Amino acid sequence: MTENHHGKGRPAKAAPSFLSLEEAEVDISDIRWVDVPVLLIFWVLMAVVFLQFFTRYVLNDSLGWTEEIARFLLILVGFIGAITATRKGSHIFLEFFYRFIPAKFGKLLAVFAEAITLTFYSIGAWVTVELAQKTKQSMISIDVPKSLIYWAVAVSFSAMALYSLTWLIRKIRQDSSQVVAELEEHAISE
Amino acid sequence: MSILLLFALLFGLLVIGVPVAVSLGLSSLVFIVTNGMPSLIVLHNMVNGVNSFPLIAIPFFILAGHLMNTAGITTKIFNFARAMVGWMHGGLGHVNVGASVVFAGMSGAAVADAGGLGNIEIKAMRDAGYDTDFSVGITAASSTIGPIIPPSLPLVIYGVVSDTSIGQLFAAGLIPGLLMAFSLMIMVGWYAKRRNYPRDDRFRFSIFWRALIDATLPLMTPIIIVGGIVTGIFTPTEAAVAAVAYSMFLGLVVYRTLNWKSMLRVSMDTIEMTASILMIVAASAIFGWILTANQVANEFAGLLLGFTENKIAILLIITLLVLVIGCFMETIAAITILVPVLLPVAVQIGIDPVHFGIILILNLMLGLLTPPVGMVLFVLSKVSDVPFERCVVATAPFLIPLVAVLLLLTFVPAFSMWLPTLVYR
């Protein structure tokens, strides 16, 4: 049978060629020692949820404490992970406005936005310390004070504030075109 | 401070490029403090906003997606789809849609689809002689199927924010996702006839069989996830855990593509993405609390119902509103801000929260394909080296079938509701 037996439509190659993937070298150069705590917490979270899954399906007897611990660890992954996101400037923000304004004004705006962000992280750290001091309950399934979560969040906010400060200084020092170029970079790196 | 000022402050902060989570948190903080309430409320709500078990599905689904991409599974799925529908008119266009459907059953984010599969798809289509615009357009459009077919990160967030069963939402997304694929395939067929696009050789069972064997193990992933959720065997979180376990098994044991270095890489990427999503969810908890406490939804409903009482008109207004907001705002942020305002209105005119979730997410997915904030277009522009503006123009025609499906789903609830009512009674 000829390749044209379907009628019109020009035939491509005789048989579809199978694609194979070329392995790219894995780059981990952006991972720092400060990321180690959140990596460990993340893996413990994975392990705890696996354990719950396993006990429910295989042993038919789910462990009660796993759910509360898992939620607790998720909060930690969220807030401590946010430190890494702040360090790398990968928090989600809208950058479209910067396309329509001159670079010079863009830099001014970016510095202003970073200053606001820094302010929020600082207030966040402050208020969470207060919250931690006022929290007296303990967690239900294990004997760990609930305030521990708030302390961890307070530390996270402080670290975010520090990284935000370094970003602020960096943006002030950079010239306008660099600042805007980095924002563009952020837009496509998601 | 009034609610109107709260929104003005929020949008002001968003526009000047303050992170979404900080914009939500700070505007709420200013509102709380100026209204004489203690600032502790803000942080208490933020931390407890992520204190939710369903949210645990998020890191697991993200991790599973990353593991799949690392294990070279995307290529196998593409080859499988090609052996199956490559012989049709405009073959690779159909392959593109088909591969996205399969990938949708493994990953929960449109952007992951565009970044992983999109790269392969556009390259293959260019090599086969398709014009770039068509290739980019169909790749962009088909990637929006991802968050409609389960698993879906946006649906998890919607479920948590609206207190709706995520299992039901997932089941509800399956048929709409397939409808989207079908509508896009009609579009591809039409283009292919008009432009006389190439196709692969006739369907050959031997080739199909080889691709099927090669892709059997990866294809089990969507079967485990979608099958498990739709039949109600797995809760969404459990499905996510199963997906991670299975993809680790593939990467570590079967294909041996994972080592400690790539494990570290995918873990870090997962943490970063999870954290930036959770921060938005956290901050939106306090924002949502303010909206609820001030009965914003009621006022909005009153405003809307005073304007018209026609259900269809109200649905169209909501759709239009979400479309416009979706063009400017990132998906997760849009869900967390819009749901407390719009859902009560929808419920008031008799729309099921599950049905509303599906149309809201599809609506927001269209925003990923439109400027100025079109995440999918940004990603495709990067992987295909086509300027952003050209991607916008190339994708525009494909919005027609997608909008048609959106309207169909909006006015025919059965497409979304049939499966969940069948499974969860």
Side-chain angles (χ1 to χ4, degrees):
Chain A
M1 192 154 292
T2 63
E3 287 174 345
N4 275 330
H5 88 124
H6 283 296
K8 51 187 169 139
R10 67 198 135 94
K13 283 163 278 177
S17 55
F18 281 71
L19 283 167
S20 56
L21 192 87
E22 60 278 13
E23 252 350 290
E25 187 57 33
V26 182
D27 180 17
I28 52 167
S29 60
D30 60 311
I31 300 175
R32 300 270 178 281
W33 282 109
V34 290
D35 300 328
V36 171
V38 73
L39 273 168
L40 292 178
I41 295 169
F42 176 73
W43 285 327
V44 174
L45 169 66
M46 294 287 127
V48 167
V49 181
F50 267 120
L51 189 66
Q52 193 195 28
F53 183 80
F54 184 75
T55 50
R56 194 188 139 184
Y57 277 91
V58 185
L59 307 178
N60 262 325
D61 175 30
S62 61
L63 292 170
W65 54 271
T66 48
E67 187 188 319
E68 192 183 20
I69 302 292
R71 281 188 280 120
F72 173 79
L73 292 170
L74 184 74
I75 297 174
L76 294 185
V77 168
F79 281 89
I80 302 178
I83 303 174
T84 305
T86 311
R87 175 170 68 77
K88 294 174 68 182
S90 58
H91 276 295
I92 297 166
F93 68 90
L94 312 183
E95 62 291 296
F96 76 88
F97 192 57
Y98 289 87
R99 293 162 185 267
F100 308 112
I101 54 177
K104 195 153 183 138
F105 189 52
K107 176 187 166 171
L108 211 67
L109 214 53
V111 167
F112 182 54
E114 194 63 55
I116 290 176
T117 308
L118 170 61
T119 312
F120 179 73
Y121 291 153
S122 312
I123 299 175
W126 186 262
V127 177
T128 319
V129 167
E130 208 179 316
L131 194 58
Q133 286 168 337
K134 284 191 176 165
T135 306
K136 297 280 180 261
Q137 313 112 289
S138 173
M139 287 167 69
I140 303 156
S141 52
I142 46 164
D143 194 25
V144 171
K146 228 183 156 184
S147 61
L148 198 67
I149 301 177
Y150 295 122
W151 283 117
V153 172
V155 170
S156 305
F157 269 124
S158 315
M160 282 188 253
L162 280 179
Y163 279 120
S164 175
L165 182 65
T166 61
W167 274 108
L168 182 65
I169 294 168
R170 185 167 166 202
K171 281 178 184 169
I172 290 172
R173 284 191 181 157
Q174 274 175 331
D175 65 62
S176 321
S177 56
Q178 260 176 314
V179 175
V180 176
E182 270 183 16
L183 289 172
E184 283 284 312
E185 187 74 16
H186 175 274
I188 50 174
S189 68
E190 288 292 324
Chain B
M1 192 164 110
S2 72
I3 288 288
L4 220 57
L5 265 173
L6 172 72
F7 273 100
L9 182 58
L10 171 66
F11 287 112
L13 291 173
L14 285 174
V15 164
I16 65 168
V18 174
V20 175
V22 176
S23 305
L24 281 163
L26 189 61
S27 53
S28 304
L29 183 73
V30 172
F31 181 88
I32 292 282
V33 172
T34 52
N35 283 295
M37 283 177 278
S39 53
L40 284 182
I41 295 177
V42 177
L43 270 301
H44 184 265
N45 267 292
M46 274 187 76
V47 175
N48 287 290
V50 283
N51 189 359
S52 135
F53 195 70
L55 285 177
I56 291 175
I58 291 176
F60 276 91
F61 279 134
I62 295 176
L63 183 61
H66 279 311
L67 287 170
M68 291 288 166
N69 266 333
T70 317
I73 286 167
T74 15
T75 326
K76 293 191 199 311
I77 288 170
F78 181 82
N79 286 334
F80 169 74
R82 184 161 192 179
M84 196 160 68
V85 288
W87 53 271
M88 292 162 87
H89 260 296
L92 281 177
H94 295 293
V95 172
N96 198 318
V97 178
S100 292
V101 169
V102 176
F103 199 68
M106 320 198 308
S107 134
V111 178
D113 184 341
L117 260 185
N119 202 0
I120 303 174
E121 289 169 341
I122 292 178
K123 189 178 177 302
M125 288 179 82
R126 271 183 179 165
D127 291 348
Y130 286 81
D131 34 307
T132 308
D133 287 11
F134 178 78
S135 314
V136 169
I138 188 66
T139 305
S142 66
S143 72
T144 59
I145 299 172
I148 306 297
I149 291 183
S152 158
L153 294 183
L155 283 177
V156 173
I157 308 284
Y158 174 84
V160 170
V161 175
S162 66
D163 212 5
T164 309
S165 151
I166 297 168
Q168 289 194 31
L169 284 166
F170 276 10
L174 184 60
I175 293 171
L178 294 177
L179 272 179
M180 287 166 78
F182 183 64
S183 77
L184 287 173
M185 286 178 90
I186 293 176
M187 186 86 171
V188 169
W190 183 74
Y191 261 110
K193 265 225 152 84
R194 256 174 52 125
R195 298 194 186 167
N196 198 21
Y197 276 137
R199 58 171 146 195
D200 292 334
D201 192 16
R202 71 193 163 84
F203 181 81
R204 281 210 185 103
F205 191 75
S206 59
I207 291 171
F208 173 73
W209 187 247
R210 217 178 89 211
L212 180 66
I213 295 294
D214 200 38
T216 303
L217 288 174
L219 282 174
M220 290 303 291
T221 321
I223 293 173
I224 293 171
I225 300 181
V226 180
I229 293 168
V230 168
T231 54
I233 296 173
F234 286 151
T235 66
T237 311
E238 287 163 355
V241 175
V244 167
Y246 186 67
S247 47
M248 276 176 78
F249 165 73
L250 289 186
L252 289 172
V253 182
V254 183
Y255 301 124
R256 312 247 174 131
T257 43
L258 286 176
N259 49 31
W260 69 270
K261 226 175 165 187
S262 49
M263 275 308 286
L264 203 61
R265 175 77 272 155
V266 293
S267 301
M268 210 59 233
D269 289 346
T270 305
I271 291 170
E272 234 180 281
M273 197 165 161
T274 305
S276 46
I277 292 176
L278 287 184
M279 280 302 103
I280 296 179
V281 175
S284 73
I286 175 63
F287 191 78
W289 182 83
I290 294 176
L291 297 190
T292 314
N294 289 280
Q295 306 198 316
V296 172
N298 274 351
E299 281 186 30
F300 181 72
L303 196 79
L304 209 56
L305 291 169
F307 183 64
T308 171
E309 295 218 348
N310 186 326
K311 186 174 166 181
I312 293 177
I314 291 176
L315 270 175
L316 283 175
I317 293 171
I318 291 180
T319 303
L320 209 65
L321 189 72
V322 178
L323 267 177
V324 172
I325 291 177
C327 290
F328 290 93
M329 209 178 278
E330 191 272 336
T331 315
I332 307 291
I335 296 168
T336 55
I337 296 171
L338 288 175
V339 167
V341 180
L342 296 182
L343 182 62
V345 183
V347 171
Q348 214 169 326
I349 58 169
I351 301 193
D352 193 282
V354 173
H355 177 208
F356 186 71
I358 301 296
I359 52 183
L360 177 75
I361 306 301
L362 174 49
N363 213 322
L364 290 175
M365 287 306 110
L366 298 182
L368 295 177
L369 303 180
T370 53
V373 189
M375 287 312 300
V376 165
L377 297 180
F378 286 139
V379 172
L380 283 184
S381 157
K382 192 183 169 197
V383 299
S384 67
D385 271 326
V386 176
F388 178 74
E389 285 72 18
R390 199 166 150 207
C391 288
V392 172
V393 177
T395 310
F398 292 95
L399 286 171
I400 299 168
L402 292 178
V403 169
V405 172
L406 174 64
L407 291 176
L408 192 66
L409 292 177
T410 306
F411 296 113
V412 187
F415 284 124
S416 327
M417 297 308 294
W418 179 72
L419 200 53
T421 38
L422 197 72
V423 183
Y424 298 85
R425 248 184 309 207

